[in-house]
Amino acid sequence: MKYLVVGKGGREHAIAWKLAMSPLIEKVFIAPGNPGADLNERIECIHLQKIDGFHIANFARENQIDLVFIGPEDPLADGIVDQLQKQNIRVLGPSKKASQFESSKDFSKRFMEKYNIPTAKFKTVSILRDGLEYLNIWNDQIPPVVKADGLAAGKGVFVVETIEEAKLYLRNIMDNPSFPIKSGKVILEERLKGKEISAFALFDGNNFINIGYARDYKRLNDGNTGPNTGGMGCISSLDLIDQELKNKINQEVFDKFLKGCKEENIDYKGILFAGLMIDDNRNINVIEFNVRFGDPETQTLMPLIESDLADIMMKATEGNLNSISPIKILDQTAIHVVLASGGYPGINGEKIETGHEISGDEKLSEMNDLYLFYAGVNVKENGTLTNGPGRVLGVTAVGDNIGHARMKVYEGIEQIKFEKCFFRKDIGL
């Protein structure tokens, strides 16, 4: 079989890498992919005139593609799945209607409220004056989290320390044309305490199976300080949370989500990523839903999956997930660390450095249980160069425990050099 993965980041590289391991797979294409992923002989990046339903469908027909998997949120929100289905292309991913769980935080929060999925208290504001007045009467000592309603590549959530800072971000999002994050709606949400966990499940419209659990490091700097980013690193292991909590997440989140989708006539097929906060009393609250694999969570999940991902994806499109056993996960720990360009994430107008030569990345192939996933790179005759919006590449290590994996991943990173390289040094601590 031949599969096509839509997207270009480290997430899509990791998915394509895992699919290419399947004995069912002849070739994996990525549109557009990135030149780093193209270094794998079983993966081929393709350059279409436009990443939309029309051009992808034409490529799929001409190249006898058996399944198209949509990686990032933007094409899902634009309705690419609906476009491909109308042209009889087998595709895995939620419809435009279903993608509102990510493309509109207000839609998602109201759905959770309606179907009794635990989540933080919130207020949606669509008029700046109303939001400022609401902040003036905020009666909690801890100020609310400020969230732009729409898609923002992981950069639309602002965890603030004061009410004045909350007002500043509210004004920036709603009324500052030079601010990079813009939205006509803003969610002001109770700030939760606890440990964050990302839980992943794959749905086929009537059933779901668990894919895995991870902990993402969103803040830019060590110690979880600085602005939110698309993700600076991640950890995953079988024992990240215990079985009792896994059962609770299924009952309180995924079961209720599926029931709500049926009530709302939403045929949900694809990945659901539930960002969770779990407090000291083991209470669960959903911070957000995403309608795709996370980045960089995927780069830790893929090396741990023993099951055949190509077969699982095909079963999901057929509505047959109930015919397969639970996914087999290695009883090991994976750690992924992102290497970013100087200036990332560029929230305050910083220039993101690009065009710098990368050295040492080829050495990682010689190191056991280390995996390199490219994101923002370009390949020239003289080597690999930094490119794109900030996250350049990431290194994943698999080890027997967290300490073992940490040692290996940072040993691997020491091999890689490029000008203005930036990464967190506390992933997994």
Side-chain angles (χ1 to χ4, degrees), residues 368-380:
N368 291 334
D369 297 323
L370 277 179
Y371 309 97
L372 178 61
F373 298 115
Y374 289 96
V377 299
N378 200 0
V379 175
K380 300 288 186 181

Side-chain angles (χ1 to χ4, degrees), residues 123-137:
K123 182 176 180 63
T124 301
V125 297
S126 54
I127 299 172
L128 176 59
R129 182 182 65 252
D130 292 347
L132 294 172
E133 289 177 358
Y134 182 72
L135 289 173
N136 283 333
I137 60 170

